[in-house]
Protein backbone atom coordinates (compact mmCIF):
# COMPACT_ATOMS: atom_id res chain seq x y z
CA UNK A 1 0.00 0.00 0.00
CA UNK A 2 0.92 3.63 -0.21
CA UNK A 3 1.92 5.37 2.98
CA UNK A 4 3.17 8.76 4.06
CA UNK A 5 4.26 9.36 7.64
CA UNK A 6 4.82 12.63 9.41
CA UNK A 7 4.62 13.57 13.08
CA UNK A 8 1.18 14.53 14.30
CA UNK A 9 2.23 17.58 16.26
CA UNK A 10 5.34 19.59 17.04
CA UNK A 11 6.02 22.56 19.29
CA UNK A 12 8.72 25.18 18.80
CA UNK A 13 9.68 28.59 20.12
CA UNK A 14 9.37 31.86 18.27
CA UNK A 15 12.68 32.73 16.59
CA UNK A 16 13.93 29.14 16.65
CA UNK A 17 14.33 26.53 13.90
CA UNK A 18 12.14 23.46 13.42
CA UNK A 19 12.44 20.48 11.08
CA UNK A 20 9.35 18.52 10.06
CA UNK A 21 10.11 15.08 8.67
CA UNK A 22 8.17 13.07 6.13
CA UNK A 23 8.80 9.49 5.04
CA UNK A 24 6.97 7.87 2.19
CA UNK A 25 6.37 4.53 0.53
CA UNK A 26 4.53 4.93 -2.74
CA UNK A 27 4.14 3.13 -6.04
CA UNK A 28 6.47 5.29 -8.05
CA UNK A 29 7.57 8.83 -7.42
CA UNK A 30 7.09 11.98 -9.45
CA UNK A 31 7.80 14.57 -6.83
CA UNK A 32 7.00 15.67 -3.31
CA UNK A 33 5.10 18.74 -2.18
CA UNK A 34 4.95 20.60 1.09
CA UNK A 35 1.85 22.67 1.83
CA UNK A 36 0.94 24.94 4.69
CA UNK A 37 -2.63 24.98 5.94
CA UNK A 38 -4.06 27.35 8.50
CA UNK A 39 -7.19 26.26 10.32
CA UNK A 40 -10.30 26.74 8.21
CA UNK A 41 -8.35 27.58 5.08
CA UNK A 42 -7.24 25.68 1.99
CA UNK A 43 -3.61 24.51 1.72
CA UNK A 44 -1.05 26.86 0.22
CA UNK A 45 1.95 25.71 -1.74
CA UNK A 46 5.36 25.87 -0.07
CA UNK A 47 7.73 23.71 -2.10
CA UNK A 48 8.15 21.00 -4.68
CA UNK A 49 11.11 18.59 -4.80
CA UNK A 50 11.70 16.00 -7.48
CA UNK A 51 15.50 15.71 -7.35
CA UNK A 52 17.64 14.90 -4.32
CA UNK A 53 18.95 17.79 -2.33
CA UNK A 54 17.98 20.95 -0.57
CA UNK A 55 15.75 23.67 -2.00
CA UNK A 56 15.88 26.94 -0.13
CA UNK A 57 13.21 29.58 -0.34
CA UNK A 58 13.54 32.36 2.18
CA UNK A 59 12.90 31.10 5.71
CA UNK A 60 11.67 27.77 4.40
CA UNK A 61 13.81 24.97 2.96
CA UNK A 62 12.86 21.50 1.78
CA UNK A 63 15.10 18.47 1.44
CA UNK A 64 14.59 15.24 -0.47
CA UNK A 65 16.33 11.87 -0.50
CA UNK A 66 14.62 9.56 -2.97
CA UNK A 67 16.74 6.54 -2.04
CA UNK A 68 15.61 6.86 1.57
CA UNK A 69 12.03 7.86 0.82
CA UNK A 70 12.55 10.85 3.04
CA UNK A 71 11.95 14.57 3.03
CA UNK A 72 12.01 17.34 5.56
CA UNK A 73 10.74 20.89 5.73
CA UNK A 74 12.99 23.29 7.63
CA UNK A 75 11.53 26.49 9.01
CA UNK A 76 13.93 29.14 10.31
CA UNK A 77 13.37 32.28 12.40
CA UNK A 78 9.97 31.02 13.41
CA UNK A 79 7.16 33.53 13.66
CA UNK A 80 3.83 33.17 15.42
CA UNK A 81 2.07 33.19 12.04
CA UNK A 82 3.90 29.96 11.17
CA UNK A 83 1.56 28.14 13.53
CA UNK A 84 -0.31 25.89 11.10
CA UNK A 85 -0.51 22.37 9.79
CA UNK A 86 2.16 21.29 7.32
CA UNK A 87 1.17 18.67 4.78
CA UNK A 88 3.54 16.40 2.90
CA UNK A 89 2.21 14.98 -0.37
CA UNK A 90 3.78 12.68 -2.97
CA UNK A 91 2.88 12.25 -6.63
CA UNK A 92 2.95 8.57 -7.50
CA UNK A 93 3.54 6.83 -10.81
CA UNK A 94 -0.09 7.46 -11.85
CA UNK A 95 0.31 11.16 -11.09
CA UNK A 96 -2.04 10.81 -8.16
CA UNK A 97 -1.34 12.99 -5.14
CA UNK A 98 -0.93 10.96 -1.97
CA UNK A 99 -1.33 13.01 1.20
CA UNK A 100 0.21 12.67 4.61
CA UNK A 101 -1.98 13.36 7.65
CA UNK A 102 -0.22 16.65 8.31
CA UNK A 103 1.89 17.97 11.17
CA UNK A 104 0.38 20.57 13.43
CA UNK A 105 3.07 23.07 14.38
CA UNK A 106 2.54 25.10 17.52
CA UNK A 107 4.74 28.16 18.01
CA UNK A 108 5.18 29.48 21.53
CA UNK A 109 6.44 32.95 22.42
CA UNK B 1 0.71 30.83 -9.42
CA UNK B 2 -2.55 30.04 -11.13
CA UNK B 3 -5.83 31.05 -9.51
CA UNK B 4 -8.68 28.73 -8.61
CA UNK B 5 -11.88 30.25 -7.30
CA UNK B 6 -14.28 28.20 -5.22
CA UNK B 7 -17.75 29.35 -4.35
CA UNK B 8 -19.43 29.63 -1.92
CA UNK B 9 -16.94 30.00 0.93
CA UNK B 10 -19.48 28.78 3.41
CA UNK B 11 -23.04 27.52 3.27
CA UNK B 12 -25.63 26.41 5.79
CA UNK B 13 -28.42 24.22 4.53
CA UNK B 14 -31.29 22.19 5.93
CA UNK B 15 -31.09 18.44 6.13
CA UNK B 16 -32.49 16.83 3.01
CA UNK B 17 -31.68 19.67 0.65
CA UNK B 18 -28.97 19.78 -2.02
CA UNK B 19 -25.99 22.10 -2.20
CA UNK B 20 -23.87 22.94 -5.22
CA UNK B 21 -20.24 24.02 -4.91
CA UNK B 22 -18.43 25.57 -7.87
CA UNK B 23 -14.73 25.45 -8.65
CA UNK B 24 -13.36 27.66 -11.41
CA UNK B 25 -9.87 27.99 -12.84
CA UNK B 26 -9.52 31.66 -13.68
CA UNK B 27 -6.35 31.87 -15.73
CA UNK B 28 -5.62 28.38 -17.00
CA UNK B 29 -7.40 25.38 -18.45
CA UNK B 30 -8.02 22.76 -15.81
CA UNK B 31 -8.04 19.40 -17.52
CA UNK B 32 -8.16 17.64 -14.16
CA UNK B 33 -9.98 18.67 -11.01
CA UNK B 34 -9.82 17.06 -7.60
CA UNK B 35 -12.44 17.25 -4.89
CA UNK B 36 -11.43 16.77 -1.27
CA UNK B 37 -13.23 16.63 2.04
CA UNK B 38 -11.56 17.52 5.30
CA UNK B 39 -13.02 16.88 8.72
CA UNK B 40 -11.74 18.87 11.71
CA UNK B 41 -8.17 18.06 12.71
CA UNK B 42 -7.84 15.54 9.89
CA UNK B 43 -5.97 15.59 6.61
CA UNK B 44 -7.42 15.98 3.17
CA UNK B 45 -9.42 13.03 1.90
CA UNK B 46 -9.69 12.72 -1.86
CA UNK B 47 -13.30 12.17 -2.87
CA UNK B 48 -13.03 12.08 -6.63
CA UNK B 49 -10.97 13.04 -9.64
CA UNK B 50 -12.60 14.45 -12.73
CA UNK B 51 -11.23 15.01 -16.20
CA UNK B 52 -12.94 17.50 -18.47
CA UNK B 53 -15.65 15.85 -20.51
CA UNK B 54 -15.41 12.52 -18.69
CA UNK B 55 -17.18 10.95 -15.77
CA UNK B 56 -15.52 11.45 -12.43
CA UNK B 57 -13.55 8.68 -10.77
CA UNK B 58 -14.67 8.27 -7.18
CA UNK B 59 -12.55 6.99 -4.33
CA UNK B 60 -13.63 3.91 -2.48
CA UNK B 61 -16.38 4.62 0.03
CA UNK B 62 -17.57 7.82 -1.66
CA UNK B 63 -21.14 7.58 -2.93
CA UNK B 64 -21.26 8.86 -6.49
CA UNK B 65 -25.03 9.27 -6.40
CA UNK B 66 -24.77 11.47 -3.34
CA UNK B 67 -21.80 13.56 -4.44
CA UNK B 68 -22.47 14.51 -8.04
CA UNK B 69 -19.50 15.91 -9.90
CA UNK B 70 -19.72 17.67 -13.22
CA UNK B 71 -16.69 18.86 -15.16
CA UNK B 72 -18.28 20.10 -18.35
CA UNK B 73 -15.71 22.71 -19.30
CA UNK B 74 -12.00 23.34 -18.92
CA UNK B 75 -12.62 26.07 -16.38
CA UNK B 76 -15.51 24.81 -14.27
CA UNK B 77 -16.28 21.81 -12.12
CA UNK B 78 -19.17 21.48 -9.70
CA UNK B 79 -19.80 19.25 -6.73
CA UNK B 80 -23.41 18.78 -5.67
CA UNK B 81 -24.12 17.26 -2.29
CA UNK B 82 -27.55 15.75 -2.66
CA UNK B 83 -29.96 15.12 0.20
CA UNK B 84 -27.44 16.52 2.65
CA UNK B 85 -27.34 15.24 6.21
CA UNK B 86 -25.57 16.63 9.28
CA UNK B 87 -22.78 14.07 8.86
CA UNK B 88 -21.97 15.68 5.49
CA UNK B 89 -20.95 18.84 7.33
CA UNK B 90 -17.32 19.33 6.46
CA UNK B 91 -14.77 21.48 4.65
CA UNK B 92 -14.82 20.75 0.92
CA UNK B 93 -11.83 21.81 -1.18
CA UNK B 94 -11.22 21.62 -4.91
CA UNK B 95 -7.94 21.73 -6.74
CA UNK B 96 -7.26 22.04 -10.43
CA UNK B 97 -4.40 20.96 -12.66
CA UNK B 98 -3.62 21.83 -16.26
CA UNK B 99 -2.43 19.49 -18.99
CA UNK B 100 1.15 18.39 -18.38
CA UNK B 101 1.34 20.25 -15.09
CA UNK B 102 2.56 18.64 -11.90
CA UNK B 103 1.19 21.14 -9.44
CA UNK B 104 -2.50 21.40 -8.70
CA UNK B 105 -3.86 24.71 -7.41
CA UNK B 106 -6.38 24.88 -4.60
CA UNK B 107 -9.60 26.77 -4.29
CA UNK B 108 -10.38 28.56 -1.05
CA UNK B 109 -12.56 25.78 0.27
CA UNK B 110 -16.24 25.63 1.23
CA UNK B 111 -17.41 25.15 4.78
CA UNK B 112 -20.69 23.19 4.62
CA UNK B 113 -22.91 22.99 7.67
CA UNK B 114 -26.05 20.88 7.47
CA UNK B 115 -28.61 21.57 10.17
Amino acid sequence: GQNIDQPTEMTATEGAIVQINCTYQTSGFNGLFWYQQHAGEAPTFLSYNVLDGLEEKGRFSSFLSRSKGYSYLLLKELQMKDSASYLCAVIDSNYQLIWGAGTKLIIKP
Amino acid sequence: GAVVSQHPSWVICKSGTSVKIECRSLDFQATTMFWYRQFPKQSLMLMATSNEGSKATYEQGVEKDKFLINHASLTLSTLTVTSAHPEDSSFYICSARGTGDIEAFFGQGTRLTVV
Side-chain angles (χ1 to χ4, degrees), chain A residues 54-74:
Chain A
L54 185 68
E55 297 271 347
E56 297 187 74
K57 192 184 296 184
R59 294 190 299 116
F60 292 4
S61 302
S62 57
F63 172 83
L64 175 68
S65 169
R66 289 172 294 171
S67 62
K68 295 182 180 178
Y70 168 69
S71 173
Y72 67 72
L73 180 69
L74 191 72

Side-chain angles (χ1 to χ4, degrees), chain B residues 39-85:
Chain B
F39 292 106
K41 299 184 180 181
Q42 296 185 21
S43 189
L44 301 172
M45 290 174 49
L46 180 65
M47 299 175 68
T49 303
S50 72
N51 292 297
E52 186 266 338
S54 303
K55 288 185 178 180
T57 301
Y58 289 81
E59 295 300 301
Q60 193 171 11
V62 179
E63 299 173 58
K64 61 181 180 181
D65 294 329
K66 179 171 181 62
F67 298 99
L68 301 178
I69 292 172
N70 183 284
H71 189 172
S73 79
L74 285 170
T75 58
L76 173 65
S77 176
T78 61
L79 167 67
T80 301
V81 183
T82 62
S83 186
H85 291 285

Side-chain angles (χ1 to χ4, degrees), chain A residues 37 42 45 91 95 99-101, chain B residues 36 38 43 97 102-103 106-107:
Chain A
Q37 186 179 26
F45 170 83
I91 299 182
Y95 290 92
W99 291 90
Chain B
Y36 295 89
Q38 186 176 35
S43 189
R97 188 171 71 193
I102 288 290
E103 184 179 355
F106 284 89

Side-chain angles (χ1 to χ4, degrees), chain A:
Chain A
Q2 311 214 80
N3 194 51
I4 296 184
D5 288 317
Q6 47 181 135
T8 303
E9 187 174 298
M10 299 182 70
T11 303
T13 305
E14 190 177 14
I17 299 173
V18 70
Q19 177 175 310
I20 303 174
N21 296 324
C22 171
T23 58
Y24 62 89
Q25 292 174 307
T26 56
S27 54
F29 178 83
N30 280 300
L32 183 146
F33 288 97
W34 282 97
Y35 285 90
Q36 180 191 61
Q37 186 179 26
H38 286 100
E41 299 180 10
T44 55
F45 170 83
L46 290 178
S47 66
Y48 172 66
N49 294 65
V50 66
L51 299 176
D52 291 348
L54 185 68
E55 297 271 347
E56 297 187 74
K57 192 184 296 184
R59 294 190 299 116
F60 292 4
S61 302
S62 57
F63 172 83
L64 175 68
S65 169
R66 289 172 294 171
S67 62
K68 295 182 180 178
Y70 168 69
S71 173
Y72 67 72
L73 180 69
L74 191 72
L75 293 78
K76 302 176 184 176
E77 301 170 19
L78 286 170
Q79 303 175 8
M80 297 304 292
K81 67 178 182 179
D82 297 330
S83 292
S85 288
Y86 291 85
L87 306 172
C88 173
V90 171
I91 299 182
D92 69 8
S93 56
N94 294 319
Y95 290 92
Q96 296 297 314
L97 200 55
I98 311 300
W99 291 90
T103 298
K104 182 179 180 181
L105 177 63
I106 300 169
I107 310 296
K108 295 186 175 180

